Amino acid sequence: MRLQPSLDQDAGLEAQRAAIQAECKRRGRQLVDVIEDAGFSAMDLKRPGIKAALEVLEAGDAKALVAAKLDRLSRSMIDFTALMATATKQGWALVALDCAVDTTTPAGEAMAHVLATFAQFERRLIGQRTREALAVKKKQGVRLGRPASISPQLARRIRLMRTRGLTLQEISERLNREGVPTPRGGAVWRPTSLPAVLRAS
């Protein structure tokens, strides 16, 4: 359900629209379209407005994406970096009026690269925090990763084959010959996966 903008939102959108129109007029550029994402968060790029704009740019029907504010494009520096890479690859410009990002000028391109550097820093911080959190959980004895899922019947059958003296390699080969899917839907059983599967069953 698309939310209708409040009066404050409407006033903000009007100001942004006016700023973009004034900038296009100053540069002597034609404004192809104004696309708004009223009622949608700018946390990521999965919004109908930005998707529509990117389709127009990819088709070559516009030469630049102009935003009055960078945080209306995306509040994630990682998403912004991806957007900048797409702009470079497809040959269109990226302009954010509030923070001097303008990939058509040397200074604006430099500012974009500064933001990209912070995006890389953000990615590395997220990775570091994730690794540290996983290490703490591992020390606490928490089993990491998605648990394997196996039917009780198959688990009993594997245990029976094991008690009859079959090696893990032989069990894997038999299951593969019979086309039995792995717990995660794969087609190939490996000996190393069997102990974990049995422990989880």
Side-chain angles (χ1 to χ4, degrees):
M1 174 178 170
R2 183 174 175 137
L3 302 175
Q4 293 297 323
S6 66
L7 291 176
D8 287 343
Q9 283 179 314
D10 197 35
L13 290 172
E14 183 60 39
Q16 292 175 49
R17 193 182 306 116
I20 291 170
Q21 290 169 342
E23 184 63 18
C24 289
K25 184 177 180 181
R26 184 184 73 79
R27 295 183 182 214
R29 299 292 179 89
Q30 178 186 356
L31 184 59
V32 175
D33 197 0
V34 176
I35 299 175
E36 298 171 355
D37 266 322
F40 287 86
S41 169
M43 291 301 291
D44 57 42
L45 299 176
K46 298 173 183 177
R47 311 189 310 274
I50 190 66
K51 286 181 178 179
L54 291 174
E55 287 173 3
V56 171
L57 290 158
E58 185 178 11
D61 296 330
K63 298 298 181 185
L65 176 61
V66 183
K69 298 181 177 181
L70 181 63
D71 67 2
R72 298 314 306 149
L73 272 177
S74 177
R75 292 175 188 165
S76 164
M77 286 296 101
I78 295 173
D79 281 347
F80 172 73
T81 305
L83 195 61
M84 192 170 71
T86 300
T88 301
K89 182 180 178 181
Q90 295 178 357
W92 45 269
L94 186 59
V95 179
L97 302 180
D98 67 330
C99 61
V101 167
D102 181 351
T103 58
T104 65
T105 70
E109 188 176 14
M111 176 60 73
H113 284 292
V114 167
L115 292 175
T117 299
F118 278 101
Q120 174 65 18
F121 177 59
E122 181 184 1
R123 274 193 295 270
R124 294 191 67 178
L125 278 181
I126 291 170
Q128 180 180 333
R129 291 190 197 109
T130 301
R131 287 191 298 273
E132 289 172 352
L134 291 174
V136 169
K137 288 187 176 295
K138 193 172 182 180
K139 279 186 178 180
Q140 293 171 344
V142 176
R143 184 175 296 166
L144 303 175
R146 188 173 62 179
S149 170
I150 186 172
S151 71
Q153 295 85 356
L154 183 55
R156 281 196 298 272
R157 185 180 171 209
I158 292 173
R159 286 196 196 95
L160 183 59
M161 286 191 282
R162 190 72 173 131
T163 57
R164 288 178 177 172
L166 273 69
T167 65
L168 295 177
Q169 180 66 41
E170 289 169 337
I171 295 172
S172 299
E173 290 172 355
R174 180 172 294 188
L175 294 173
N176 290 334
R177 280 197 306 272
E178 295 175 3
V180 177
T182 68
R184 294 178 184 174
V188 180
W189 286 85
R190 292 184 173 82
T192 53
S193 65
L194 288 172
V197 168
L198 290 169
R199 282 196 302 271
S201 62

